[in-house]
Amino acid sequence: MGIDIVLIDSRGQTFFVEDFSRFGIPVRDRKIVVVKSSQHFYTSFAPIAQEVLYVDSPGVLATDLTQLEFNRISRPKWPFDEQPFG
């Protein structure tokens, strides 16, 4: 079966399974599909996925907000505090 890779030359995120179908890649037949997208992919991909895994990598914006340094934030506030509403 091999590996299929789709690259774009402009900034954007994957929204739809059909983005792969346009290139003849049958996503529903694949064991693993990796998309670089923060959350935009979920509505289209989750219904056909056995499991959705999120991966965080170093960069300007971390997925785990508790790892970012905030200097001027009122507390308590979710997700930084376990019981922010009392």
Side-chain angles (χ1 to χ4, degrees), residues 12-84:
Q13 295 191 37
T14 303
F15 286 84
F16 307 107
V17 171
E18 292 74 26
D19 292 341
F20 290 89
S21 302
R22 292 183 194 129
F23 296 101
I25 300 170
V27 173
R28 289 170 176 82
D29 297 342
R30 298 298 194 231
K31 184 176 180 179
I32 298 173
V33 175
V34 178
V35 293
K36 183 179 181 283
S37 180
S38 56
Q39 183 63 27
H40 300 80
F41 73 94
Y42 193 86
T43 301
S44 184
F45 286 82
I48 65 166
Q50 182 178 0
E51 183 177 13
V52 174
L53 301 174
Y54 290 90
V55 177
D56 198 4
S57 59
V60 177
L61 180 62
T63 304
D64 182 0
L65 297 178
T66 63
Q67 298 302 309
L68 298 176
E69 187 175 319
F70 290 95
N71 297 320
R72 298 179 185 155
I73 184 173
S74 61
R75 301 295 282 270
K77 188 177 295 298
W78 183 89
F80 310 101
D81 300 298
E82 197 170 316
Q83 297 294 328

